[in-house]
């Protein structure tokens, strides 16, 4: 195939995945109750900014992104933390996200903006483990050369937030049903 054609196809795909477009095209229906935005990942702050711009109702939330990847939002708090090895900022943000989604009702909506890097940005060690333990696990996994899918399966076993646990904690609130793929 022609290099110019391949480049134009790549650029078109990246443009379609930009948060400003992808989020606007995938807005969930408005709830009767509150709208809470949570998220983590290298593109999560961009997605939060896009969601805020597209959502005409009240909302609040907390999103964790990598240091240097933050955006300025008016209604969604953006926290920066370490990636790929988690730090105290991510640990505290993960705890705050769990508190944010506690006690919701079936009338509430939780919008989860998750992108690449989200797993290491939300350290929440399982009972009996510490942040130091989770950091050590992460360093070992990174050094192993394992594919990211395998690394995430292992991380899930040592976390109170990963592997669907955050989503379960949001119940009985409604969540954004589809996933939005964004560059990041």
């Amino acid at each position: 195939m022609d290099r110019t054609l391949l480049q134009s196809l790549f650029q078109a795909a990246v443009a379609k995945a930009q948060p400003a477009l992808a989020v606007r095209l995938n807005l969930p229906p408005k709830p009767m109750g509150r709208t809470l935005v949570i998220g983590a990942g290298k593109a999560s702050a961009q997605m939060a900014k896009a969601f805020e711009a597209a959502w005409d109702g009240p909302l609040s939330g907390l999103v964790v992104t990598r240091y240097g990847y933050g955006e300025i939002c008016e209604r969604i708090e953006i926290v920066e933390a370490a990636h790929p090895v988690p730090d105290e900022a991510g640990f505290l943000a993960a705890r705050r996200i769990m508190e944010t989604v506690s006690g919701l009702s079936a009338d509430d909506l939780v919008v989860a903006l998750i992108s690449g890097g989200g797993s290491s940005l939300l350290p929440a060690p399982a009972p009996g483990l510490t942040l130091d333990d989770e950091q050590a696990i992460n360093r070992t996994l990174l050094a192993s050369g394992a594919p990211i899918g395998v690394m995430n399966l292992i991380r899930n076993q040592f976390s109170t937030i990963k592997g669907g646990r955050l989503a379960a904690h949001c119940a009985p609130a409604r969540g954004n049903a589809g996933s939005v793929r964004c560059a990041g």
Side-chain angles (χ1 to χ4, degrees):
M1 261 193 162
D2 178 353
R3 182 177 174 86
T4 305
L5 175 62
L6 290 175
Q7 277 187 311
S8 68
L9 291 172
F10 173 77
Q11 289 170 348
V14 169
K16 287 281 189 186
Q18 290 304 309
L21 176 62
V23 169
R24 187 175 69 245
L25 293 175
N26 291 281
L27 292 175
K30 290 199 172 52
M32 292 180 60
R34 299 178 290 167
T35 300
L36 299 172
V37 176
I38 58 172
K42 294 175 280 188
S44 63
Q46 290 177 335
M47 291 189 291
K49 184 175 183 174
F51 189 88
E52 223 181 53
W55 193 257
D56 63 358
L59 67 98
S60 62
L62 174 63
V63 167
V64 187
T65 193
R66 183 179 183 170
Y67 288 116
Y69 286 55
E71 294 284 346
I72 296 174
C73 293
E74 294 177 17
R75 301 175 283 170
I76 301 169
E77 181 183 355
I78 307 296
V79 173
E80 293 184 355
H83 174 279
V85 177
D87 67 359
E88 183 80 14
F91 175 75
L92 295 174
R95 184 179 293 166
R96 288 183 54 215
I97 283 175
M98 291 296 270
E99 291 168 2
T100 298
V101 299
S102 292
L104 298 178
S105 77
D107 290 334
D108 297 326
L109 169 67
V110 177
V111 176
L113 303 174
I114 310 294
S115 68
S119 183
S120 66
L121 289 163
L122 287 179
L129 298 176
T130 66
L131 175 59
D132 287 339
D133 295 328
E134 193 160 339
Q135 290 169 325
I137 291 165
N138 238 348
R139 284 187 189 97
T140 301
L141 288 170
L142 290 166
S144 75
I148 190 64
V150 171
M151 290 172 51
N152 285 338
L153 285 172
I154 294 168
R155 287 175 177 154
N156 291 350
Q157 304 308 308
F158 300 100
S159 174
T160 60
I161 203 168
K162 297 172 187 71
R165 292 177 190 93
L166 175 58
H169 198 70
C170 294
R174 183 170 53 94
N176 51 319
S179 63
V180 177
R181 301 280 184 224
C182 294

